[in-house]
């Protein structure tokens, strides 16, 4: 009952129980009162009957002495009326009624009733059930007049039944029932008011009992009625202040976490390396800004309101496979390498330029987690480093070749001269010329290296002087003409008669032109054409070298002025060269405030143009 | 007029005589071409650049920030005395690596 009544609020429950037990008490009290009243009434009725019987006996005896039996009938009727009895009679010793309130029974023999008899002195009471089923008390007392017995006075009284007593008690009901009921109602109201704070407390505790945690329930203070309510309010105040403190601490922790996250983002976005994390399926869960740029993504992954959400972020391997040459058997795809670091290099082409990425993938180690499902990726663009490495390797190859070949020739001819017994003078001269030529080649190479070194450190200096261009150009042409003739090339020279006399470093500019013309001759097949044109206009000196040689591929065109760069064209590779001439030429022209440009088409030829200011 | 060439993976922009309001669009367009894919690495050779005005400084700072967000960088080389002074006085020089020649600037990307 109590369990099922939990959904009813406490004041109603308390009031209901109060009323229930109060009503039971009232009913029990009423029953007791009824029983007591019944006993008292019965006792009072008995005494009244015996008293009426005594007074009637005396009155009848007096009247009989005065008037004889003339008034007996009237007397019994009068006694019946006064005593409220059912009947009244005078029974003669012969068993015949001398008088009876029921006049028809006067003179009739009396009927003896069977029932319990009770005697008080000379008086007797017999209890019996009459023909109607009513319980009757018949009181009998002997009648005497002047010492002579007259008979027996009989008084029949009907004993009231249960309903009789009830009806008799009904007239006192307002006092007996409604009085206590009113007190109970008043008590219920007071009780309800008294337990209301407790009810509020009970209601809040019920919510706590049905909730997952105390924090999710809103606890409030109750009306300060009584010590319990005051105590509860104090507990709530302390709880709320503790909650506020905890909330404050949580806010601090949250702020610190956000601060750490923001700082971590700022740190990761400030480094040039791309950093990303992936989940167990390889899907990106975070990228910093450089990583988004490297992967060509629209936005970073992991931003609150970014382009990519957690569920639609692309896969890292998909991105790498789409943009870069990534073999299917690469360690990045291998399950065996899942739990260990993987470092690989990816190569791709971008606008005709080769790019190289160094990709490192490391499993993310979490304390207590054996299986490493997520990874952190670090990608660095190492294109420049790779090209520098390749250039260094190429330089080593070139230097080795350029140093070893003339040295071998020098050594061979020198040994021949030293060991041979008989060598004619002409042959000795030829050998010595070869040794001289190779030594000159070595010296030129060393000079180029030194110039490049000077260029690298920025110490390549110019010795400018007013220069007779005609003289300088003739010297240049004289140097290359033998080679032109050797290859039987058509050599077209166009130099205006009137040229300015600029302040330039004559030797270095001459070196530039010799290099350009030498290259034109070297890479133009026999029968081809080489043209050298000079034009001076508006204090600008333009010199161009045009050939019908092998030409330069478009992809290599931008690199021809790089140090140690040599074309991959086999027709170029078969010629000796250091890859330093054009780099030096460009630097020399640049130091003069001019510029050098190239236009070329593969298999059709090239045109190099040098533009120098004359002022 | 600015010229752009490529040395290895590095873009070198040179040739302008000033970086001022009327040249900013040209230089900005050239710098934008360096941001195709991946990380831009640019050397701006200031040899011959006689003047940088506020529009030019703003462009340089904005481009530097843009490049740095992508993990790239723009480095300055060969600033003349006036340009160097302007960069220094305005505090812009503090945001850039400045080299005496473009070769050093290019090589610095290897580090």
């Amino acid at each position: 009952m109590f369990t099922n009544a939990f959904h009813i609020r406490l004041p109603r429950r308390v009031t209901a129980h109060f009323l229930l037990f109060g009503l039971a008490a009232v009913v029990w009290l009423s029953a007791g009162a009824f029983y007591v009243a019944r006993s008292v009434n019965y006792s009072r009725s008995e005494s009244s009957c015996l008293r009426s019987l005594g007074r009637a006996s005396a009155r009848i005896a007096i009247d009989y002495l005065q008037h004889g039996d003339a008034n007996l009938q009237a007397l019994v009727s009068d006694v019946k009326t006064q005593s409220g009895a059912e009947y009244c009679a005078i029974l003669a010793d012969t068993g015949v009624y001398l008088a009876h309130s029921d006049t028809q029974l006067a003179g009739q023999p009396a009927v003896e009733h069977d029932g319990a008899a009770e005697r008080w002195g000379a008086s007797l009471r017999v209890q019996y059930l009459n023909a109607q089923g009513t319980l009757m008390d018949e009181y009998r007392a002997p009648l005497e007049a002047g010492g002579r017995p007259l008979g027996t006075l009989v008084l029949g009284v009907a004993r009231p039944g249960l309903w009789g007593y009830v009806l008799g008690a009904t007239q006192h009901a307002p006092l007996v029932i409604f009085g206590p009921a009113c007190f109970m109602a008043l008590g219920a109201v007071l009780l309800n008011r008294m337990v209301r704070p407790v009810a509020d407390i009970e209601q809040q505790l019920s919510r706590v009992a049905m909730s997952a945690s105390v924090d999710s329930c809103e606890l409030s203070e109750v009306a300060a009625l009584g010590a319990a309510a005051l105590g509860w309010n104090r507990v709530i105040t302390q709880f709320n202040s503790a909650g506020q403190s905890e909330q404050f601490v949580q806010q601090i922790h949250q702020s610190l976490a956000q601060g750490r996250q923001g700082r971590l983002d700022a740190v990761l976005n400030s480094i040039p390396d791309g950093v990303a994390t992936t989940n167990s399926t390889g899907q990106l869960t975070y990228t910093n800004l450089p990583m988004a740029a490297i992967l060509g993504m629209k936005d970073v992954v992991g931003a609150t309101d970014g382009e990519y959400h957690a569920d639609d972020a692309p896969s890292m391997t998909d991105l790498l496979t789409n943009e870069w040459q990534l073999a299917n058997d690469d360690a990045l795809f291998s399950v065996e390498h899942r739990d260990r670091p993987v470092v690989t290099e990816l190569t791709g082409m971008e606008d005709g330029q080769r790019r190289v990425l160094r990709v490192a993938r490391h499993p993310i180690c979490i304390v207590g987690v054996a299986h490493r499902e997520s990874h952190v990726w670090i990608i660095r663009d190492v294109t420049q480093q790779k090209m520098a490495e390749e250039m260094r390797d190429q330089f080593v190859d070139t230097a080795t070749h350029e140093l070893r070949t003339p040295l071998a020739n020098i050594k061979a001819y020198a040994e021949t001269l030293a060991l041979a017994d008989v060598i004619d003078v002409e042959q000795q001269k030829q050998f010595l010329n070869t040794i001289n030529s190779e030594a000159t080649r070595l010296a030129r190479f060393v000079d180029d290296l030194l110039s490049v070194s000077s260029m690298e450190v920025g110490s390549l200096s110019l010795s400018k002087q007013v220069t007779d261009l005609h003289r300088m150009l003739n010297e240049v042409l004289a140097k290359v003409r033998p080679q032109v003739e050797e290859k039987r090339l058509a050599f077209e020279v166009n130099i205006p008669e009137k040229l300015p006399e600029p302040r330039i470093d004559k030797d270095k500019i001459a070196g530039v032109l010799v290099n350009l013309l030498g290259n034109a001759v070297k890479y133009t097949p026999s029968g081809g054409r080489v043209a050298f044109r000079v034009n001076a206009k508006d204090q600008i000196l333009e010199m161009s070298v045009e050939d019908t040689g092998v030409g330069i591929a478009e992809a290599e065109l931008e690199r021809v002025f790089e140090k140690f760069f040599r074309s991959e064209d086999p027709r170029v590779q078969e010629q000796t060269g250091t890859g330093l001439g054009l780099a030096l030429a460009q630097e020399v022209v640049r130091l003069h405030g001019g510029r050098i440009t190239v236009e070329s088409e593969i298999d059709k030829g090239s045109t190099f143009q040098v533009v120098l200011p004359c002022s | 007029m600015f010229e752009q060439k490529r040395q290895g993976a590095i873009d070198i922009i040179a040739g302008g005589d000033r970086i001022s309001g009327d040249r900013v669009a040209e230089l900005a367009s050239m710098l934008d071409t360096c941001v195709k894919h991946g990380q831009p690495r640019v050397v701006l050779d200031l040899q011959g650049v006689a003047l940088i005005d506020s529009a030019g400084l703003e462009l340089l700072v904005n481009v530097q920030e843009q490049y740095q967000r992508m993990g790239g960088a723009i480095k300055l080389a060969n600033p003349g005395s006036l340009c160097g002074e302007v960069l220094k006085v305005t505090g812009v020089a503090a945001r850039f690596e400045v080299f005496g020649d473009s070769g050093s600037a290019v090589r610095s990307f290897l580090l």
Side-chain angles (χ1 to χ4, degrees):
Chain A
M1 179 180 74
F2 291 100
T3 305
N4 294 334
F6 273 162
H7 63 281
I8 304 173
R9 291 193 63 190
L10 183 67
R12 288 190 179 184
R13 284 210 313 276
V14 170
T15 305
H17 284 92
F18 167 75
L19 291 175
L20 177 68
F21 288 107
L23 196 61
V26 168
V27 169
W28 187 260
L29 195 63
S30 299
F34 173 76
Y35 181 77
V36 170
R38 180 171 173 268
S39 300
V40 170
N41 284 341
Y42 183 72
S43 175
R44 192 178 292 169
S45 172
E46 190 178 66
S47 301
S48 174
C49 289
L50 289 173
R51 197 165 50 249
S52 298
L53 194 65
R55 281 202 299 267
S57 299
R59 182 180 172 191
I60 290 169
I62 293 170
D63 188 90
Y64 184 82
L65 289 175
Q66 291 175 350
H67 304 98
D69 57 359
N71 294 328
L72 288 179
Q73 187 59 40
L75 284 172
V76 296
S77 296
D78 191 37
V79 168
K80 172 183 175 287
T81 303
Q82 288 182 353
S83 64
E86 290 292 319
Y87 62 87
C88 181
I90 298 173
L91 182 64
D93 294 338
T94 58
V96 177
Y97 288 117
L98 293 175
H100 199 288
S101 56
D102 184 359
T103 54
Q104 292 180 352
L105 293 178
Q108 297 293 323
V111 178
E112 285 297 326
H113 301 292
D114 293 331
E118 197 171 358
R119 183 174 292 280
W120 297 275
S123 299
L124 177 68
R125 184 184 65 186
V126 177
Q127 294 181 344
Y128 69 95
L129 283 171
N130 64 6
Q132 288 76 33
T134 303
L135 185 60
M136 300 293 292
D137 287 335
E138 187 177 272
Y139 294 90
R140 294 183 181 182
L143 279 174
E144 288 181 356
R148 189 169 60 88
L150 292 178
T152 303
L153 177 63
V154 177
L155 194 63
V157 178
R159 183 178 293 185
L162 179 63
W163 284 110
Y165 284 111
V166 170
L167 291 173
T170 301
Q171 56 187 333
H172 304 293
L175 187 62
V176 174
I177 296 174
F178 294 117
C182 289
F183 281 116
M184 283 171 61
L186 182 62
V189 171
L190 293 175
L191 192 62
N192 192 308
R193 187 178 172 191
M194 195 181 301
V195 299
R196 187 174 300 154
V198 182
D200 291 340
I201 295 170
E202 188 254 1
Q203 192 177 14
Q204 295 185 48
L205 291 176
S206 299
R207 283 206 303 270
V208 171
M210 289 184 285
S211 300
S213 69
V214 181
D215 297 334
S216 60
C217 297
E218 188 178 347
L219 301 179
S220 59
E221 295 185 356
V222 299
L225 299 173
L230 289 173
W232 170 261
N233 291 346
R234 187 174 293 178
V235 169
I236 292 302
T237 304
Q238 197 160 354
F239 178 79
N240 287 339
S241 63
Q244 286 172 354
S245 299
E246 192 175 347
Q247 194 175 1
F248 181 64
V249 170
Q250 281 182 348
Q251 284 177 347
I252 290 175
H253 285 167
Q254 195 173 356
S255 298
L256 287 173
Q258 286 175 347
R260 276 197 295 270
Q261 182 65 36
R263 187 167 181 169
L264 187 60
D265 276 342
V267 167
L268 291 175
N269 287 330
S270 299
I271 59 175
D273 293 350
V275 178
T277 57
T278 54
N279 60 16
S280 58
T281 60
Q283 199 175 23
L284 284 167
T285 52
Y286 171 82
T287 61
N288 66 349
L289 288 167
M291 179 63 90
I294 290 171
L295 297 176
M297 298 168 67
K298 297 176 189 170
D299 195 2
V300 296
V301 178
T304 308
D305 52 354
E307 179 82 19
Y308 301 102
H309 298 289
D311 51 350
D312 61 359
S315 162
M316 174 63 107
T317 47
D318 286 349
L319 287 172
L320 293 178
T321 309
N322 292 339
E323 299 288 336
W324 304 87
Q325 295 168 11
L326 188 60
N328 288 331
D329 59 348
D330 194 278
L332 292 174
F333 295 112
S334 172
V335 178
E336 294 174 7
H337 294 77
R338 186 177 185 78
D339 289 344
R340 54 183 163 176
V342 174
V343 179
T344 186
E345 280 187 357
L346 306 181
T347 306
M349 294 300 290
E350 196 174 88
D351 298 327
Q353 299 288 331
R354 187 169 66 103
R355 281 186 64 204
V356 184
L357 296 185
R358 178 183 178 275
V359 179
R361 190 192 71 187
H362 298 270
I364 296 176
C365 302
I366 301 173
V367 176
V369 178
H371 191 54
R372 301 166 180 178
E373 292 190 329
S374 51
H375 294 89
V376 58
W377 300 68
I378 302 164
I379 298 183
R380 173 176 288 184
D381 189 335
V382 293
T383 307
Q384 187 68 3
Q385 286 87 340
K386 293 297 288 184
M387 295 176 83
E389 285 176 14
E390 289 170 3
M391 194 176 290
R392 189 174 59 239
D393 294 343
Q394 192 176 2
F395 167 71
V396 171
D397 290 343
T398 304
T400 303
H401 179 264
E402 290 296 313
L403 290 172
R404 181 171 288 174
T405 305
L407 275 176
N409 288 336
I410 290 170
K411 186 170 184 289
Y413 285 110
E415 282 177 354
T416 305
L417 286 171
L419 298 176
D421 292 334
V422 179
I423 304 175
D424 59 41
V425 177
E426 283 298 320
Q427 203 169 15
Q428 285 181 20
K429 191 176 284 184
Q430 184 184 348
F431 286 178
L432 288 172
N433 283 337
T434 305
I435 289 172
N436 184 44
S437 170
E438 294 298 331
T440 304
R441 181 178 166 189
L442 269 177
R444 191 168 61 244
F445 180 66
V446 171
D447 284 344
D448 284 350
L449 283 180
L450 287 173
S451 297
V452 166
S453 177
S454 300
M455 188 175 81
E456 289 287 319
V457 299
S459 63
L460 186 63
S461 58
L462 301 178
S463 176
K464 290 184 179 180
Q465 55 190 338
V466 177
T467 304
D468 182 347
L469 276 179
H470 274 291
R471 187 174 176 182
M472 185 196 78
L473 293 174
N474 286 330
E475 288 174 3
V476 168
L477 294 173
K479 285 184 180 178
V480 296
R481 204 174 291 276
Q483 300 167 39
V484 173
E485 292 172 353
E486 186 182 348
K487 292 191 79 172
R488 297 178 181 175
L489 300 174
F491 192 33
E492 180 186 332
V493 177
N494 188 354
I495 301 175
E497 289 187 2
K498 188 178 180 182
L499 286 173
E501 292 186 349
R503 277 180 59 81
I504 58 174
D505 189 323
K506 175 190 158 191
D507 293 336
K508 286 191 170 61
I509 293 295
V512 169
L513 295 175
V514 168
N515 181 271
L516 294 178
L517 286 166
N519 285 344
V521 173
K522 191 160 55 174
Y523 299 116
T524 302
S526 295
R529 182 178 60 86
V530 172
F532 178 59
R533 298 187 185 91
V534 178
N535 187 23
K537 187 179 178 184
D538 297 336
Q539 297 296 309
I540 297 293
L541 181 64
E542 294 178 359
M543 296 175 286
S544 65
V545 177
E546 183 183 338
D547 65 58
T548 56
V550 298
I552 305 168
E554 189 178 352
E556 295 178 334
L557 209 53
E558 287 188 357
R559 300 190 63 195
V560 293
F561 294 108
E562 291 180 12
K563 294 184 293 292
F564 302 110
F565 174 76
R566 298 213 66 203
S567 171
E568 293 179 358
D569 191 326
R571 293 172 294 182
V572 176
Q573 292 284 336
E574 69 184 12
Q575 301 288 339
T576 58
T578 61
L580 295 174
L582 287 177
L584 276 172
Q586 187 188 44
E587 183 67 9
V588 167
V589 172
R590 191 186 68 81
L591 288 174
H592 278 87
R595 65 176 187 276
I596 182 169
T597 58
V598 59
E599 293 176 1
S600 184
E601 195 172 349
I602 194 78
D603 296 331
K604 288 189 176 178
S606 308
T607 301
F608 285 83
Q609 187 178 45
V610 175
V611 178
L612 289 175
C614 292
S615 58
Chain B
M1 182 175 177
F2 293 98
E3 291 178 355
Q4 183 177 3
K5 63 180 181 179
R6 197 169 173 87
Q7 184 169 335
I10 312 299
D11 289 301
I12 302 174
I13 296 176
D17 57 353
R18 63 183 185 275
I19 304 177
S20 53
D22 55 335
R23 297 290 178 86
V24 159
E26 179 194 350
L27 181 58
S29 171
M30 202 167 280
L31 290 168
D32 276 343
T33 62
C34 302
V35 190
K36 292 174 183 172
H37 296 288
Q39 299 169 299
R41 293 171 180 184
V42 177
V43 171
L44 181 61
D45 193 339
L46 298 175
Q47 187 183 35
V49 174
L51 173 69
I52 303 178
D53 69 359
S54 60
L57 293 172
E58 186 180 357
L59 172 67
L60 292 180
V61 171
N62 289 341
V63 168
Q64 177 74 311
E65 288 179 356
Q66 180 193 0
Y67 283 8
Q68 283 181 343
R69 279 198 299 272
M70 303 173 75
I74 178 170
K75 302 186 179 187
L76 307 181
N78 279 322
S81 58
L82 179 59
C83 279
E85 199 66 24
V86 168
L87 291 169
K88 189 176 176 182
V89 168
T90 55
V92 174
R95 293 169 174 256
F96 291 86
E97 287 183 75
V98 183
F99 297 88
D101 60 284
S102 59
S104 302
V106 170
R107 281 196 302 280
S108 71
F109 282 104
L110 290 172
L111 302 177

mmCIF file of all heavy atoms in Angstrom, chain A residues 548-569:
data_model
loop_
_atom_site.group_PDB
_atom_site.id
_atom_site.type_symbol
_atom_site.label_atom_id
_atom_site.label_comp_id
_atom_site.label_asym_id
_atom_site.label_seq_id
_atom_site.Cartn_x
_atom_site.Cartn_y
_atom_site.Cartn_z
ATOM 1 N N THR A 548 71.048 26.849 -84.993
ATOM 2 C CA THR A 548 70.056 25.880 -85.473
ATOM 3 C C THR A 548 70.408 24.501 -84.912
ATOM 4 O O THR A 548 70.349 23.487 -85.596
ATOM 5 C CB THR A 548 70.054 25.829 -87.004
ATOM 6 O OG1 THR A 548 71.384 25.520 -87.454
ATOM 7 C CG2 THR A 548 69.621 27.151 -87.611
ATOM 8 N N GLY A 549 70.773 24.523 -83.610
ATOM 9 C CA GLY A 549 71.242 23.289 -82.968
ATOM 10 C C GLY A 549 70.127 22.400 -82.438
ATOM 11 O O GLY A 549 68.990 22.440 -82.911
ATOM 12 N N VAL A 550 70.490 21.626 -81.410
ATOM 13 C CA VAL A 550 69.570 20.602 -80.876
ATOM 14 C C VAL A 550 68.405 21.237 -80.127
ATOM 15 O O VAL A 550 67.367 20.619 -79.943
ATOM 16 C CB VAL A 550 70.319 19.612 -79.971
ATOM 17 C CG1 VAL A 550 71.378 18.872 -80.748
ATOM 18 C CG2 VAL A 550 70.939 20.348 -78.777
ATOM 19 N N GLY A 551 68.596 22.447 -79.686
ATOM 20 C CA GLY A 551 67.509 23.108 -78.946
ATOM 21 C C GLY A 551 67.399 22.600 -77.515
ATOM 22 O O GLY A 551 68.092 21.669 -77.091
ATOM 23 N N ILE A 552 66.520 23.241 -76.783
ATOM 24 C CA ILE A 552 66.336 22.895 -75.358
ATOM 25 C C ILE A 552 64.865 22.578 -75.131
ATOM 26 O O ILE A 552 63.976 23.316 -75.587
ATOM 27 C CB ILE A 552 66.757 24.073 -74.446
ATOM 28 C CG1 ILE A 552 68.204 24.489 -74.758
ATOM 29 C CG2 ILE A 552 66.626 23.705 -72.979
ATOM 30 C CD1 ILE A 552 68.605 25.814 -74.128
ATOM 31 N N ALA A 553 64.636 21.484 -74.442
ATOM 32 C CA ALA A 553 63.245 21.108 -74.144
ATOM 33 C C ALA A 553 62.596 22.166 -73.257
ATOM 34 O O ALA A 553 63.269 22.802 -72.435
ATOM 35 C CB ALA A 553 63.214 19.750 -73.447
ATOM 36 N N GLU A 554 61.288 22.332 -73.424
ATOM 37 C CA GLU A 554 60.584 23.382 -72.690
ATOM 38 C C GLU A 554 60.708 23.195 -71.185
ATOM 39 O O GLU A 554 60.851 24.155 -70.429
ATOM 40 C CB GLU A 554 59.108 23.377 -73.103
ATOM 41 C CG GLU A 554 58.338 24.566 -72.557
ATOM 42 C CD GLU A 554 56.888 24.550 -73.018
ATOM 43 O OE1 GLU A 554 56.551 23.700 -73.865
ATOM 44 O OE2 GLU A 554 56.112 25.374 -72.497
ATOM 45 N N ALA A 555 60.685 21.924 -70.757
ATOM 46 C CA ALA A 555 60.768 21.646 -69.320
ATOM 47 C C ALA A 555 62.120 22.025 -68.743
ATOM 48 O O ALA A 555 62.245 22.309 -67.548
ATOM 49 C CB ALA A 555 60.491 20.162 -69.068
ATOM 50 N N GLU A 556 63.140 22.039 -69.597
ATOM 51 C CA GLU A 556 64.497 22.323 -69.115
ATOM 52 C C GLU A 556 64.886 23.776 -69.314
ATOM 53 O O GLU A 556 65.936 24.208 -68.844
ATOM 54 C CB GLU A 556 65.504 21.417 -69.837
ATOM 55 C CG GLU A 556 65.317 19.942 -69.504
ATOM 56 C CD GLU A 556 66.309 19.065 -70.277
ATOM 57 O OE1 GLU A 556 66.740 19.523 -71.364
ATOM 58 O OE2 GLU A 556 66.623 17.980 -69.799
ATOM 59 N N LEU A 557 64.018 24.509 -70.003
ATOM 60 C CA LEU A 557 64.374 25.864 -70.390
ATOM 61 C C LEU A 557 64.652 26.759 -69.180
ATOM 62 O O LEU A 557 65.582 27.571 -69.190
ATOM 63 C CB LEU A 557 63.235 26.458 -71.228
ATOM 64 C CG LEU A 557 63.618 27.508 -72.262
ATOM 65 C CD1 LEU A 557 64.733 27.008 -73.177
ATOM 66 C CD2 LEU A 557 62.411 27.899 -73.091
ATOM 67 N N GLU A 558 63.841 26.563 -68.137
ATOM 68 C CA GLU A 558 64.002 27.419 -66.954
ATOM 69 C C GLU A 558 65.239 27.052 -66.153
ATOM 70 O O GLU A 558 65.672 27.822 -65.307
ATOM 71 C CB GLU A 558 62.766 27.316 -66.058
ATOM 72 C CG GLU A 558 61.555 28.025 -66.625
ATOM 73 C CD GLU A 558 60.428 28.057 -65.615
ATOM 74 O OE1 GLU A 558 60.599 27.474 -64.524
ATOM 75 O OE2 GLU A 558 59.390 28.655 -65.935
ATOM 76 N N ARG A 559 65.772 25.868 -66.407
ATOM 77 C CA ARG A 559 66.868 25.403 -65.559
ATOM 78 C C ARG A 559 68.245 25.583 -66.198
ATOM 79 O O ARG A 559 69.248 25.243 -65.571
ATOM 80 C CB ARG A 559 66.653 23.927 -65.212
ATOM 81 C CG ARG A 559 65.339 23.682 -64.462
ATOM 82 C CD ARG A 559 65.295 22.268 -63.939
ATOM 83 N NE ARG A 559 66.364 22.046 -62.979
ATOM 84 C CZ ARG A 559 66.746 20.835 -62.575
ATOM 85 N NH1 ARG A 559 66.155 19.766 -63.059
ATOM 86 N NH2 ARG A 559 67.716 20.698 -61.705
ATOM 87 N N VAL A 560 68.282 26.080 -67.405
ATOM 88 C CA VAL A 560 69.570 26.111 -68.098
ATOM 89 C C VAL A 560 70.573 27.043 -67.420
ATOM 90 O O VAL A 560 71.776 26.889 -67.597
ATOM 91 C CB VAL A 560 69.406 26.521 -69.582
ATOM 92 C CG1 VAL A 560 68.666 25.466 -70.344
ATOM 93 C CG2 VAL A 560 68.723 27.877 -69.687
ATOM 94 N N PHE A 561 70.062 27.986 -66.636
ATOM 95 C CA PHE A 561 70.985 28.909 -65.964
ATOM 96 C C PHE A 561 71.337 28.436 -64.550
ATOM 97 O O PHE A 561 72.009 29.153 -63.822
ATOM 98 C CB PHE A 561 70.382 30.313 -65.902
ATOM 99 C CG PHE A 561 70.225 30.958 -67.253
ATOM 100 C CD1 PHE A 561 68.983 31.115 -67.827
ATOM 101 C CD2 PHE A 561 71.343 31.378 -67.964
ATOM 102 C CE1 PHE A 561 68.843 31.700 -69.074
ATOM 103 C CE2 PHE A 561 71.216 31.961 -69.225
ATOM 104 C CZ PHE A 561 69.968 32.111 -69.786
ATOM 105 N N GLU A 562 70.852 27.254 -64.174
ATOM 106 C CA GLU A 562 71.205 26.729 -62.853
ATOM 107 C C GLU A 562 72.612 26.145 -62.903
ATOM 108 O O GLU A 562 73.029 25.587 -63.918
ATOM 109 C CB GLU A 562 70.211 25.650 -62.428
ATOM 110 C CG GLU A 562 68.830 26.182 -62.138
ATOM 111 C CD GLU A 562 67.882 25.075 -61.714
ATOM 112 O OE1 GLU A 562 68.373 23.969 -61.442
ATOM 113 O OE2 GLU A 562 66.673 25.334 -61.680
ATOM 114 N N LYS A 563 73.284 26.251 -61.790
ATOM 115 C CA LYS A 563 74.648 25.722 -61.711
ATOM 116 C C LYS A 563 74.633 24.198 -61.869
ATOM 117 O O LYS A 563 73.766 23.510 -61.306
ATOM 118 C CB LYS A 563 75.267 26.078 -60.361
ATOM 119 C CG LYS A 563 75.490 27.563 -60.168
ATOM 120 C CD LYS A 563 76.187 27.855 -58.868
ATOM 121 C CE LYS A 563 75.312 27.517 -57.687
ATOM 122 N NZ LYS A 563 74.160 28.405 -57.575
ATOM 123 N N PHE A 564 75.535 23.686 -62.599
ATOM 124 C CA PHE A 564 75.749 22.259 -62.823
ATOM 125 C C PHE A 564 74.595 21.583 -63.551
ATOM 126 O O PHE A 564 74.555 20.369 -63.653
ATOM 127 C CB PHE A 564 76.008 21.506 -61.503
ATOM 128 C CG PHE A 564 77.175 22.043 -60.751
ATOM 129 C CD1 PHE A 564 77.000 22.728 -59.555
ATOM 130 C CD2 PHE A 564 78.465 21.879 -61.230
ATOM 131 C CE1 PHE A 564 78.075 23.234 -58.853
ATOM 132 C CE2 PHE A 564 79.547 22.387 -60.538
ATOM 133 C CZ PHE A 564 79.359 23.067 -59.352
ATOM 134 N N PHE A 565 73.677 22.392 -64.059
ATOM 135 C CA PHE A 565 72.581 21.764 -64.800
ATOM 136 C C PHE A 565 73.068 21.395 -66.197
ATOM 137 O O PHE A 565 73.646 22.211 -66.920
ATOM 138 C CB PHE A 565 71.381 22.705 -64.907
ATOM 139 C CG PHE A 565 70.299 22.151 -65.793
ATOM 140 C CD1 PHE A 565 69.465 21.148 -65.333
ATOM 141 C CD2 PHE A 565 70.158 22.585 -67.106
ATOM 142 C CE1 PHE A 565 68.489 20.615 -66.149
ATOM 143 C CE2 PHE A 565 69.184 22.058 -67.926
ATOM 144 C CZ PHE A 565 68.352 21.065 -67.454
ATOM 145 N N ARG A 566 72.770 20.175 -66.572
ATOM 146 C CA ARG A 566 73.050 19.730 -67.924
ATOM 147 C C ARG A 566 71.816 19.007 -68.438
ATOM 148 O O ARG A 566 71.163 18.254 -67.718
ATOM 149 C CB ARG A 566 74.247 18.780 -67.964
ATOM 150 C CG ARG A 566 75.537 19.444 -67.489
ATOM 151 C CD ARG A 566 76.740 18.911 -68.225
ATOM 152 N NE ARG A 566 76.697 19.260 -69.629
ATOM 153 C CZ ARG A 566 77.341 18.584 -70.577
ATOM 154 N NH1 ARG A 566 78.037 17.509 -70.259
ATOM 155 N NH2 ARG A 566 77.266 18.949 -71.834
ATOM 156 N N SER A 567 71.502 19.264 -69.670
ATOM 157 C CA SER A 567 70.300 18.678 -70.252
ATOM 158 C C SER A 567 70.405 17.154 -70.274
ATOM 159 O O SER A 567 71.499 16.583 -70.360
ATOM 160 C CB SER A 567 70.110 19.220 -71.675
ATOM 161 O OG SER A 567 69.081 18.507 -72.319
ATOM 162 N N GLU A 568 69.248 16.523 -70.196
ATOM 163 C CA GLU A 568 69.239 15.069 -70.260
ATOM 164 C C GLU A 568 69.233 14.567 -71.709
ATOM 165 O O GLU A 568 69.243 13.362 -71.943
ATOM 166 C CB GLU A 568 68.006 14.538 -69.509
ATOM 167 C CG GLU A 568 68.082 14.806 -68.009
ATOM 168 C CD GLU A 568 66.853 14.312 -67.269
ATOM 169 O OE1 GLU A 568 65.940 13.806 -67.964
ATOM 170 O OE2 GLU A 568 66.825 14.424 -66.040
ATOM 171 N N ASP A 569 69.210 15.492 -72.644
ATOM 172 C CA ASP A 569 69.252 15.112 -74.052
ATOM 173 C C ASP A 569 70.587 14.407 -74.341
ATOM 174 O O ASP A 569 71.657 14.960 -74.069
ATOM 175 C CB ASP A 569 69.109 16.384 -74.913
ATOM 176 C CG ASP A 569 68.867 16.053 -76.375
ATOM 177 O OD1 ASP A 569 69.416 15.035 -76.840
ATOM 178 O OD2 ASP A 569 68.137 16.812 -77.039
#
